[in-house]
Amino acid sequence: MSHIANFPDPTFVPVNGIELEVFEAGQANRGNPIVLCHGWPEHAYSWRHQMPALAAAGFHVIVPNQRGYGNSSRPDEVTAYDISQLTGDLAALLDHFGYKDAIFVGHDWGANVVWSMAQLHQDRVSRIINLALPYQARTPKPWIAFMEEFFGADNYFVHFNRQPGVADALLDRNTSRFLRNLYRKNVPSVRPAPGMMMINLAQAEAPLGEPVLSDEDLAVYVAAFEEAGFTSSINWYRNMDRNWQILADVVPIINKPVLMIYGEQDMIPKSENLTDFVANVDVASLDCGHWIQQELPDETTDAILKWLAAKTATQLVASS
């Protein structure tokens, strides 16, 4: 994919032994970086609505396709996608641009990477804005065993780990149908049940809910995953138990200023103990499903900019 209409051309940045495909806006705003991290199965393009507004507000906007996505490197080894590698990529990305730290914004899996970034590379993070996925406290046993015990073997997290390659092949064969069915606004009365939802959506003939993406936008995702396949991105899930081990001795408390944005209709539940682990957090909720920044782009951008402005004002007062 050499160019996406109305989206910046990428540059390819060597980091951490790989290359990341990186899209930028507001390069003239040197010294005010904000890094936007996509989720699964997404693309840097998911931030298309926020990039111009953030650049206009004075930020240098840096949006990578993280490893395994788009035209970024896709290592073969499953362990190449553990949380130390994913956060190491972002730390090295700051090094490339000459930044000590940055504001990090994450959605879905990207939020998980940003939470971990604040634990493994806390000095590189100035503020956090996360969408959809709240901080996940470490479970008593490794993640996949924990999820299998509570949600059963049909849970797609468990399935990805216990039956490697099966889901990958199915999604690769049904890329367009899967993504078209997945990118829907949640209809509360007919939400898909947990479990094998992701796999079932690759086979469903009748999608539920209003589409989130236009045909043109959907084509960007379909082209990216038809080229890259799904294995490298699913390998993020296959490192959950490894990540559980990596984070075992890391301080779980996050003290950075945080904005947590929920979608009221999202199937991911709100955290009941967020402030136990995230001491300095503000919470916002928008009337949408999981694809927050794409379902309600203007409202999402407005929430981000207002929070950043308030935090900047508070910092200026404190330092005066």
Side-chain angles (χ1 to χ4, degrees):
M1 189 188 307
S2 58
H3 179 73
I4 303 169
N6 302 317
F7 197 65
D9 285 326
T11 56
F12 289 87
V13 177
V15 298
N16 199 23
I18 62 163
E19 269 194 340
L20 294 183
E21 181 182 29
V22 178
F23 302 85
E24 294 177 75
Q27 292 94 322
N29 302 323
R30 182 72 194 168
N32 202 15
I34 186 167
V35 181
L36 311 182
C37 302
H38 63 79
W40 185 86
E42 287 188 303
H43 188 280
Y45 186 70
S46 65
W47 298 106
R48 63 197 174 280
H49 301 292
Q50 286 71 45
M51 291 178 68
L54 288 169
F59 293 96
H60 177 192
V61 188
I62 302 168
V63 191
N65 267 329
Q66 296 177 85
R67 66 166 66 198
Y69 287 84
N71 292 312
S72 292
S73 297
R74 300 189 292 274
D76 293 331
E77 300 83 3
V78 172
T79 55
Y81 299 89
D82 71 25
I83 201 64
S84 62
Q85 297 294 343
L86 298 178
T87 57
D89 292 348
L90 298 181
L93 190 61
L94 294 187
D95 292 339
H96 171 81
F97 286 106
Y99 290 128
K100 174 182 178 291
D101 57 22
I103 300 162
F104 280 88
V105 184
H107 172 250
D108 184 80
W109 247 111
N112 192 35
V113 175
V114 171
W115 292 125
S116 298
M117 189 76 188
Q119 295 176 281
L120 296 172
H121 301 275
Q122 58 179 317
D123 292 341
R124 312 306 300 270
V125 179
S126 60
R127 299 171 191 163
I128 293 169
I129 301 170
N130 274 338
L131 285 65
L133 186 73
Y135 178 88
Q136 303 294 294
R138 194 166 184 269
T139 51
K141 61 178 65 176
W143 273 105
I144 298 305
F146 179 83
M147 297 183 78
E148 187 169 21
E149 180 177 312
F150 278 86
F151 302 118
D154 282 345
N155 178 271
Y156 69 93
F157 281 67
V158 178
H159 180 84
F160 286 165
N161 280 270
R162 301 297 190 231
Q163 301 186 51
V166 175
D168 319 35
L170 177 64
L171 299 181
D172 285 348
R173 290 196 303 270
N174 298 279
T175 298
S176 180
R177 180 187 294 175
F178 170 61
L179 294 174
R180 184 178 296 276
N181 288 343
L182 182 66
Y183 280 98
R184 299 276 164 175
K185 297 180 181 179
N186 287 340
V187 180
S189 61
V190 291
R191 288 185 190 173
M196 292 297 289
M197 180 187 71
M198 295 294 181
I199 309 304
N200 294 338
L201 287 175
Q203 301 169 315
E205 295 289 350
L208 300 173
E210 181 183 347
V212 171
L213 304 177
S214 68
D215 288 344
E216 292 77 13
D217 291 336
L218 178 66
V220 173
Y221 291 87
V222 172
F225 281 95
E226 284 184 340
E227 181 174 344
F230 281 89
T231 295
S232 55
S233 61
I234 292 176
N235 280 342
W236 289 34
Y237 289 87
R238 294 181 177 131
N239 278 280
M240 291 186 67
D241 285 354
R242 183 178 173 87
N243 297 345
W244 187 87
Q245 298 286 354
I246 290 169
L247 297 171
D249 298 321
V250 177
V251 175
I253 305 301
I254 292 175
N255 292 307
K256 303 294 182 178
V258 174
L259 174 63
M260 179 67 221
I261 303 178
Y262 293 108
E264 283 293 329
Q265 300 172 38
D266 195 350
M267 287 176 292
I268 297 177
K270 297 178 182 179
S271 172
E272 296 180 353
N273 62 348
L274 185 61
T275 54
D276 292 345
F277 296 93
V278 186
N280 186 10
V281 62
D282 296 303
V283 176
S285 293
L286 300 179
D287 187 18
C288 62
H290 182 67
W291 314 108
I292 297 171
Q293 76 271 31
Q294 299 183 89
E295 290 187 47
L296 292 179
D298 294 340
E299 293 86 343
T300 302
T301 303
D302 187 56
I304 290 171
L305 289 174
K306 284 183 176 178
W307 184 80
L308 289 172
K311 289 300 174 186
T312 299
T314 301
Q315 185 178 10
L316 289 173
V317 169
S319 61
S320 63

